[in-house]
Amino acid sequence: MTVGMDQADRHGHQPKGHSMQSASPRGRREKGAVPKISKGDFAPKDTENSPAVVSIESFEYTPAYFARWKVSASDLMLLLVISMAAVVVRCYKLSNPANVVFDEVHFGKFAGKYLNSTYFFDLHPPLAKMMFAAVGRLAGYDGVFDFKSIGLDYIAANVPYVAMRLMPALLGAAT
């Protein structure tokens, strides 16, 4: 039998350690009421009398809920250092080569078609290509460069390829 925080036992008593301020006299939660959760309710010491399953609908996210994740200043500093290292590694020599490489043939071509409002069919979901088109528009790409084959020169065609490469590099560092 699954027992949630909002359910009383057969005698109408609440499980030990759980405060139910919005409970009715029979021990059941009133419809729409959110119980107040104390810090101890998230880690019951007495597992025999505590509920086996706690439903997410019964939680009110309070600072006590997040207090169990103790993050020190050194942890935050380590996270910052690792994040910065990820950005540096992913953005190192981003402008080299100044030619069309691998998947830029496809992503650049579709970005140009979005910018020119040209109809096309693509089997894959469009979000990434639309993001490339948006970044290209912001960086000044007009959609004229055709990304026909690998090795075409970006500099001669005045394509803002570094900005378009920067988007996936930063998103990759963010993950």
Side-chain angles (χ1 to χ4, degrees):
M1 179 173 109
T2 303
V3 177
M5 280 182 49
D6 59 339
Q7 296 176 337
D9 63 9
R10 64 186 176 139
H11 302 292
H13 298 103
Q14 293 297 324
K16 185 176 179 181
H18 297 284
S19 60
M20 301 293 293
Q21 293 178 353
S22 61
S24 67
R26 293 181 56 193
R28 299 207 182 262
R29 186 166 51 107
E30 295 172 7
K31 189 170 190 164
V34 178
K36 300 295 181 193
I37 307 292
S38 66
K39 185 176 180 180
D41 289 340
F42 293 99
K45 293 182 176 89
D46 184 10
T47 57
E48 188 174 315
N49 293 326
S50 65
V53 174
V54 177
S55 67
I56 194 73
E57 292 85 20
S58 65
F59 282 138
E60 179 179 305
Y61 295 102
T62 61
Y65 175 76
F66 296 105
R68 66 182 177 159
W69 298 327
K70 294 185 170 91
V71 180
S72 66
S74 62
D75 291 339
L76 290 175
M77 186 57 74
L78 180 64
L79 178 65
L80 180 67
V81 167
I82 291 172
S83 298
M84 293 305 295
V87 168
V88 168
V89 167
R90 289 183 180 266
C91 294
Y92 179 71
K93 292 191 176 184
L94 196 61
S95 62
N96 190 18
N99 303 347
V100 176
V101 294
F102 193 54
D103 271 355
E104 291 176 350
V105 170
H106 304 292
F107 282 87
K109 187 184 310 178
F110 289 130
K113 289 182 179 186
Y114 276 117
L115 291 175
N116 293 325
S117 300
T118 305
Y119 175 79
F120 65 95
F121 175 76
D122 185 18
L123 179 65
H124 303 295
L127 179 62
K129 294 162 195 119
M130 292 172 85
M131 291 170 64
F132 273 104
V135 169
R137 173 71 65 173
L138 291 173
Y141 175 56
D142 57 5
V144 175
F145 186 75
D146 62 358
F147 292 91
K148 191 173 12 181
S149 64
I150 294 175
L152 292 176
D153 188 28
Y154 283 132
I155 295 175
N158 198 24
V159 176
Y161 70 99
V162 177
M164 292 174 79
R165 287 180 181 172
L166 187 63
M167 187 225 8
L170 293 178
L171 290 176
T175 60

